[in-house]
Amino acid sequence: MVEIFRRESSPANKTSRRAGSGSQSVASDYSAFETHSENIFRSEVNTMTSKAARIGEEIWKTRVDKVNAELVTLTYGTVVAQLCKDYDGDYLEVNKQLDRMGYNIGMRLIEDFLAKANTGRCANFRETAEMISKVGFKIFLNVTPIITNWTSDSKQFSLIFEDNPLADFVELPDDGRAQDELWYSSILCGVLRGALEMVQMQVETHFISDVLRGNDTTEMRISLIRYLDDEMPPDDE
């Protein structure tokens, strides 16, 4: 017992204990900082989410002319069917045409969106995602896709569509190719691409799954390529 007591009381061991205590304190402080930072980040995200949802709901209720959902579905279905006919079932070309149509629509639709939303420029791409999901899609389609699957650099995310008015009551052609080649709602990818280019964001958008193809979810992937200077968007007609 004496020897143990003496070793614990020696200067070297006192120094070691102090050093160990300091290391534990630093580690504890760092862990607390991480937790605090994470809590702040989550609070900011929740605030952005709530604000965007509130704006979208208010605009939908008070400043949007309502259109019958079945009319939208039937009209879009007619467009897709005509394209499939015009391009002799070349579904890859149909995808391109739908995306191009959406791009041109998005370039014009952004003005209406900005006038209705009146929220100013987004601070970052995460805030842009919230505005797309909870304001943009709410205003024009009365749906709110789920934002998920962010990359660590916050430059890519997914939108999961639990409801897609464009695809209601739709079945893809049973020709052995449509379910592998046709992305029925490709026009939405073009709309986002065109709209975001008009506010100086070049993005890549594409679907990676679709319930019409037999997948469990309908998921669109959005990637930020770069922020643009003030310049005219390329002619995509």
Side-chain angles (χ1 to χ4, degrees):
M1 290 293 297
V2 174
E3 286 297 316
I4 292 173
F5 180 80
R6 284 176 179 172
R7 281 200 296 271
E8 288 183 346
S9 301
S10 66
N13 279 299
K14 287 183 179 179
T15 303
S16 176
R17 282 204 309 274
R18 286 198 298 270
S21 176
S23 299
Q24 290 174 357
S25 176
V26 170
S28 177
D29 290 346
Y30 182 72
S31 178
F33 174 76
E34 276 192 321
T35 301
H36 182 62
S37 299
E38 184 177 350
N39 288 338
I40 291 175
F41 176 75
R42 287 180 177 176
S43 176
E44 289 178 349
V45 169
N46 290 336
T47 300
M48 283 192 304
T49 299
S50 300
K51 179 182 177 182
R54 187 170 61 251
I55 293 171
E57 192 66 34
E58 179 186 349
I59 295 172
W60 167 253
K61 288 180 177 179
T62 62
R63 286 181 261 170
V64 174
D65 296 328
K66 309 301 187 293
V67 178
N68 185 281
E70 290 185 8
L71 178 61
V72 173
T73 302
L74 291 172
T75 302
Y76 183 68
T78 301
V79 171
V80 177
Q82 187 61 49
L83 285 173
C84 290
K85 182 179 179 180
D86 291 345
Y87 290 94
D88 297 321
D90 184 347
Y91 298 124
L92 299 181
E93 186 60 35
V94 172
N95 295 337
K96 292 178 183 177
Q97 293 300 321
L98 289 171
D99 182 87
R100 187 172 292 118
M101 289 171 58
Y103 177 85
N104 292 327
I105 292 171
M107 289 175 62
R108 293 160 178 78
L109 208 60
I110 188 65
E111 294 182 9
D112 190 30
F113 170 83
L114 293 174
K116 285 183 169 69
N118 192 29
T119 56
R121 185 180 291 273
C122 294
N124 51 54
F125 200 48
R126 283 184 175 268
E127 187 173 342
T128 299
E130 294 292 336
M131 295 301 291
I132 290 171
S133 168
K134 296 177 176 60
V135 183
F137 275 102
K138 181 65 178 179
I139 291 175
F140 297 112
L141 287 179
N142 192 27
V143 297
T144 307
I146 298 169
I147 303 168
T148 187
N149 297 333
W150 279 100
T151 54
S152 58
D153 60 2
S154 294
K155 290 185 177 181
Q156 297 180 35
F157 67 94
S158 291
L159 293 176
I160 304 292
F161 293 83
E162 295 183 334
D163 298 302
N164 179 7
L166 298 184
D168 283 346
F169 317 113
V170 172
E171 291 184 5
L172 298 184
D174 187 17
D175 59 5
R177 294 187 300 110
Q179 291 199 350
D180 294 325
E181 298 177 4
L182 179 62
W183 292 107
Y184 185 82
S185 301
S186 288
I187 196 169
L188 297 178
C189 296
V191 169
L192 288 185
R193 194 165 58 86
L196 290 175
E197 278 196 17
M198 294 301 289
V199 288
Q200 280 72 55
M201 277 181 279
Q202 182 182 355
V203 298
E204 180 183 286
T205 56
H206 62 280
F207 280 99
I208 61 176
S209 65
D210 191 340
V211 293
L212 294 180
R213 288 179 161 215
N215 303 126
D216 294 332
T217 60
T218 297
E219 179 176 348
M220 181 196 293
R221 194 74 181 152
I222 298 96
S223 304
L224 176 64
I225 305 302
R226 65 187 179 107
Y227 288 99
L228 304 170
D229 296 327
D230 291 330
E231 59 187 36
M232 290 296 292
D235 184 4
D236 201 38
E237 296 187 4

